[in-house]
Amino acid sequence: MDFIQVPSSYIFYLAAAITFVFLRDRTLRSVLLICVPIIALIQVWNLEIGNHHQVDFFNLQLELMRVDKLSKVFGLIFCLAAFLGNLYAWHVKDVVQQIATLVYTGSAIGAVFAGDLVSLFFYWEGTAIASVFLIWARRTEASYHTGMRYLLIQISSGVILLAGLAVQFHTTGSIAFEKMELSSLSSFLIFISFGIKCAFPLLHNWLQDSYPAATVTGTVILSSFTTKLAIYALARSFAGTEILIYIGAIMTLFPIFFAEIENDLRRVLAYSLNNQLGFMVVGIGVGTELALNGTASHAFAHILYKSLLFMSVGAVLFRTGTSKASELGGLYKTMPLSALCCLIGAASISAFPLFSGFVTKSLIMDATATEHYPVIWCVLVFASAGVLSHSGIKIPYFTFFAHDSGLRPKEAPINMLIAMFITSFLCVFLGVFPDTLYNILPYEVNYKPYTISHVISQLQLLCFALLAFTVIMKLGFHPPEIRAINLDSDWVYRKYLPSIMLRIINRLGSVNESTRSGLENKISSGEQILLNIFGPTANFARVFTNGVMILWIAVIFTGALAIVLF
Amino acid sequence: MNDNNKKLKETTNPVGSILFGWLDHRHSTRIIIGTLSVSCFVLLLVDFVYHRHGHFMIEEVPGFFALYGFLMFSLIILGATTLRYFVKRREDYYGTKAVDSDMTENKK
């Protein structure tokens, strides 16, 4: 079989099996983890458009390599992200994390190339099961519980997908993973399943709960795949579904406020990720070629700059043992290169001209304007200012600058620095040469990001937002970084529902108790009655004399005779 | 310069001095704020010189993006501060079932 036709996921699974069985040497494992994404990247780059690999499965034909321009662009960025993440994690000795990373990455890439819902389901659950080990690898009680919550929600998403698939197969006889209308039960179930993984509002909290709980390197890996896989799945199936525009707009809005007051910087980034997903979901909802190009390119750029931000905060966590803004500050003195990379990531996510976010986000913004969604456009501009506030300013400022925390950690390890440099380079490269990215997008791009109007308006927005930050800091109105947490919708299933359950259990317990004691009382009084009648001191236990017995027999005999004779 | 400051100075990374050493200058904050203010002023002036094109009428109003950026950022801070009033809880609110109060050094 031609190498090019082998499903890319198999390469990762094979590497995971080799790592598990043969590789006892840490360096060899790290080398393998870096080589595998490069091999997969070369393979995906050279893939031709078409369906390459079919498998028969219980009378169903599964398409494992459906290659088109949409799946290819996601496949490429997934391979690139896996390479950068594994380079960043070069120092990791934990074989569990390494195998989990390979299986997780392989499943995500497999899902991107899945041409039917059955294989999508297997890969979908594969990402869920493999990725939870990156959370459990922290090996604390808290990470165990967080991992269980994460797994429960991810598996639920898969089960709902399976239900949707079953209904679709039952009604249409098809398992095709294609564009669908949100009008049938099956499409609704599939939509919800994708929505859970995409962190739709109120279904989002698994993201902010679990990503800060993973290991330093695990979070970098996690941030790249799960949610972007959901974006891909939505773009594939529900492009042009109008409700997505409004869902996406809400997604860009609410995380801004939570991110602003969050103390754990990795959770700030998780909220920020949620906000960025909102932009992509809006693009899918608009559904035009420009908008879908915007979504695909924004996902591409986003994976890079979000990884970069997670890497720089992860490096700080690795060196200082904390990622809490209240404990950090002034680290530019001893971690200047990490600070520089963090600033590049911050500029990219904030969409400063010459950085990657600028050339990708503007496609989506332009699509909403072209399709006449003025309110949505205003929301997205507002959200752009919000991105600057929490990711552009808060992350670098409170980690590396602001007040001096007195911490003087060493610079990040060399492997982390190299990974951050390459990612930073890509963020700037895409910003300066957007056509490189535009050329691999699903549709032809006729868009010029660098017009005077666009550059000036974006610079005005960002610079005046920065000015507002300066004024607010000077006046002392900025919410201080304090050691606290903030309740979000996960409070419902983490506190409220358990407390209700506890109350129900307590109530049932007391009902059980009172019923039992009532029954016991009844039984013991019944026993007493029986004892009174048949007990050792009762009349029935009395010893009868022979005379009395004969007398009673005579009475019974006389009675019987009387009945017979008369 | 007391001993503590001396020690801090010594531990500064040489690359750090090159990249960000200027931040230790006495007037660095003033320089940053000054540069930002001048940039903002120039950017605002451009709007009165160059006629910007956009999809919506409002985009062509001079100073729209500047005002929108400034006001919206302030609104975000105001909104976030208000939100904190309602949702802030102690770090150990979720006890041992969340990583927030988990102080284990996460170096794996």
Side-chain angles (χ1 to χ4, degrees):
Chain A
M1 186 186 290
D2 192 15
F3 161 72
I4 211 77
Q5 291 181 346
V6 175
S8 311
S9 55
Y10 288 7
I11 305 172
F12 288 88
Y13 292 159
L14 179 68
I18 292 172
T19 309
F20 181 69
V21 179
F22 297 113
L23 297 184
R24 294 281 165 265
D25 184 69
R26 186 194 72 80
T27 316
L28 280 178
R29 289 202 303 268
S30 297
V31 170
L32 184 74
L33 255 78
I34 288 180
C35 290
V36 167
I38 295 175
I39 295 167
L41 187 69
I42 294 167
Q43 186 222 11
V44 173
W45 182 261
N46 289 303
L47 280 173
E48 284 173 16
I49 306 296
N51 289 345
H52 298 302
H53 193 93
Q54 287 87 22
V55 173
D56 285 327
F57 180 78
F58 293 110
N59 296 330
L60 298 171
Q61 194 177 54
L62 307 187
E63 297 281 355
L64 296 188
M65 279 305 268
R66 184 246 312 264
V67 182
D68 58 13
K69 291 191 98 176
L70 182 65
S71 58
K72 204 168 163 175
V73 69
F74 276 88
L76 285 172
I77 187 58
F78 279 6
C79 293
L80 193 56
F83 166 71
L84 293 167
N86 291 345
L87 181 60
Y88 182 79
W90 171 273
H91 63 281
V92 172
K93 295 173 188 159
D94 184 4
V95 72
V96 173
Q97 282 190 68
Q98 291 173 321
I99 293 174
T101 301
L102 284 169
V103 176
Y104 176 39
T105 315
S107 302
I109 294 171
V112 160
F113 289 115
D116 62 274
L117 288 169
V118 174
S119 47
L120 178 74
F121 165 75
F122 281 114
Y123 286 126
W124 198 261
E125 292 293 40
T127 59
I129 293 163
S131 59
V132 75
F133 286 94
L134 298 173
I135 299 166
W136 284 338
R138 188 159 162 170
R139 295 186 173 86
T140 64
E141 188 191 345
S143 71
Y144 167 74
H145 287 290
T146 312
M148 286 305 281
R149 287 195 294 275
Y150 170 84
L151 190 62
L152 199 67
I153 292 169
Q154 296 295 314
I155 294 288
S156 305
S157 162
V159 170
I160 295 170
L161 173 63
L162 183 64
L165 151 68
V167 175
Q168 177 175 313
F169 184 68
H170 180 70
T171 49
T172 66
S174 160
I175 55 164
F177 175 30
E178 290 291 353
K179 186 166 167 27
M180 47 185 99
E181 296 296 325
L182 194 56
S183 54
S184 58
L185 176 64
S186 61
S187 61
F188 186 74
L189 287 168
I190 293 169
F191 185 77
I192 294 288
S193 160
F194 293 171
I196 292 173
K197 250 192 169 65
C198 194
F200 279 2
L202 301 180
L203 304 174
H204 66 282
N205 255 133
W206 62 266
L207 178 65
Q208 291 82 4
D209 182 22
S210 60
Y211 283 14
T215 60
V216 169
T217 54
T219 308
V220 175
I221 302 287
L222 283 173
S223 74
S224 298
F225 300 108
T226 302
T227 48
K228 261 61 75 184
L229 171 58
I231 288 289
Y232 164 79
L234 281 171
R236 166 76 60 198
S237 312
F238 295 102
T241 305
E242 194 174 7
I243 194 172
L244 283 173
I245 300 175
Y246 307 105
I247 292 174
I250 295 168
M251 282 169 78
T252 62
L253 282 182
F254 79 89
I256 295 172
F257 299 97
F258 282 94
E260 199 56 50
I261 51 174
E262 178 57 49
N263 190 33
D264 187 335
L265 293 170
R266 295 205 297 173
R267 186 167 290 131
V268 173
L269 287 174
Y271 275 115
S272 161
L273 202 163
N274 212 167
N275 151 285
Q276 292 293 300
L277 293 172
F279 282 92
M280 298 172 215
V281 171
V282 169
I284 298 167
V286 174
T288 58
E289 290 191 355
L290 177 66
L292 290 173
N293 275 340
T295 295
S297 64
H298 200 50
F300 196 101
H302 161 86
I303 286 176
L304 292 172
Y305 59 63
K306 186 55 73 182
S307 295
L308 181 57
L309 288 168
F310 269 117
M311 283 177 190
S312 55
V313 173
V316 169
L317 172 62
F318 182 75
R319 285 300 192 208
T320 64
T322 183
S323 60
K324 288 177 180 164
S326 56
E327 316 300 305
L328 297 170
L331 299 187
Y332 74 90
K333 291 173 191 289
T334 55
M335 299 183 78
L337 296 173
S338 303
L340 181 68
C341 293
C342 186
L343 284 172
I344 292 173
S348 301
I349 196 171
S350 308
F352 271 95
L354 301 180
F355 292 91
S356 59
F358 179 77
V359 300
T360 57
K361 196 198 285 179
S362 47
L363 290 172
I364 299 171
M365 307 276 286
D366 210 65
T368 56
T370 313
E371 297 303 308
H372 303 293
Y373 288 103
V375 176
I376 299 297
W377 181 82
C378 283
V379 167
L380 296 189
V381 179
F382 173 78
S384 301
V387 177
L388 178 79
S389 77
H390 55 74
S391 291
I393 297 173
K394 182 171 175 166
I395 293 290
Y397 183 72
F398 288 105
T399 313
F400 295 102
F401 305 99
H403 77 285
D404 189 353
S405 60
L407 295 169
R408 293 290 181 271
K410 281 198 289 183
E411 182 54 278
I414 187 73
N415 61 300
M416 287 188 173
L417 281 178
I418 294 171
M420 286 194 274
F421 283 152
I422 298 174
T423 319
S424 304
F425 169 77
L426 289 171
C427 286
V428 179
F429 181 82
L430 293 180
V432 178
F433 303 105
D435 287 337
T436 322
L437 177 56
Y438 289 172
N439 285 338
I440 58 168
L441 293 181
Y443 304 100
E444 197 185 339
V445 180
N446 296 310
Y447 183 78
K448 294 274 169 258
Y450 288 107
T451 61
I452 297 175
S453 292
H454 187 207
V455 172
I456 293 290
S457 55
Q458 184 69 4
L459 280 176
Q460 280 181 345
L461 182 81
L462 296 175
C463 286
F464 273 85
L466 277 170
L467 191 67
F469 171 72
T470 317
V471 173
I472 287 163
M473 283 301 280
K474 277 278 170 196
L475 294 175
F477 289 154
H478 196 277
E481 303 309 312
I482 46 175
R483 295 193 67 148
I485 62 143
N486 302 302
L487 301 184
D488 200 341
S489 59
D490 58 345
W491 173 80
V492 174
Y493 60 79
R494 290 172 72 179
K495 275 280 180 185
Y496 182 66
L497 289 180
S499 76
I500 296 253
M501 285 297 288
L502 200 66
R503 240 182 281 168
I504 291 172
I505 289 168
N506 283 342
R507 180 62 60 85
L508 283 177
S510 63
V511 168
N512 177 34
E513 203 63 33
S514 58
T515 318
R516 260 168 189 272
S517 62
L519 270 176
E520 272 172 13
N521 285 343
K522 286 266 185 300
I523 289 169
S524 57
S525 62
E527 266 178 0
Q528 199 55 48
I529 291 167
L530 287 174
L531 265 177
N532 288 343
I533 299 168
F534 300 106
T537 56
N539 284 341
F540 275 93
R542 215 174 55 204
V543 179
F544 295 96
T545 59
N546 287 345
V548 173
M549 289 298 289
I550 290 164
L551 179 67
W552 276 109
I553 289 168
V555 168
I556 292 166
F557 188 69
T558 313
L561 271 178
I563 290 165
V564 172
L565 294 177
F566 302 102
Chain B
M1 187 185 283
N2 61 32
D3 285 351
N4 192 29
N5 280 347
K6 202 173 173 181
K7 197 178 169 192
L8 292 184
K9 189 98 182 170
E10 279 165 6
T11 51
T12 303
N13 186 315
V15 185
S17 305
I18 298 165
L19 283 174
F20 301 111
W22 57 278
L23 284 175
D24 295 329
H25 192 274
R26 255 185 329 141
H27 300 301
S28 62
T29 316
R30 233 181 269 175
I31 293 167
I32 293 169
I33 295 175
T35 316
L36 182 64
S37 307
V38 171
S39 313
C40 286
F41 183 69
V42 172
L43 281 167
L44 194 60
L45 275 187
V46 173
D47 259 10
F48 293 95
V49 181
Y50 176 78
H51 180 72
R52 201 153 18 83
H53 300 283
H55 291 281
F56 303 112
M57 291 271 282
I58 199 161
E59 287 184 73
E60 296 177 12
V61 175
F64 165 72
F65 282 98
L67 191 68
Y68 197 76
F70 192 92
L71 288 181
M72 290 303 122
F73 194 97
S74 311
L75 186 70
I76 288 164
I77 300 300
L78 182 73
T81 312
T82 315
L83 179 69
R84 174 176 266 181
Y85 178 77
F86 293 104
V87 299
K88 192 182 89 172
R89 292 292 182 277
R90 283 165 52 93
E91 205 168 36
D92 58 356
Y93 180 74
Y94 288 119
T96 55
K97 292 187 175 176
V99 289
D100 306 288
S101 51
D102 183 0
M103 292 303 290
T104 313
E105 287 211 350
N106 187 16
K107 290 194 172 186
K108 287 173 185 120

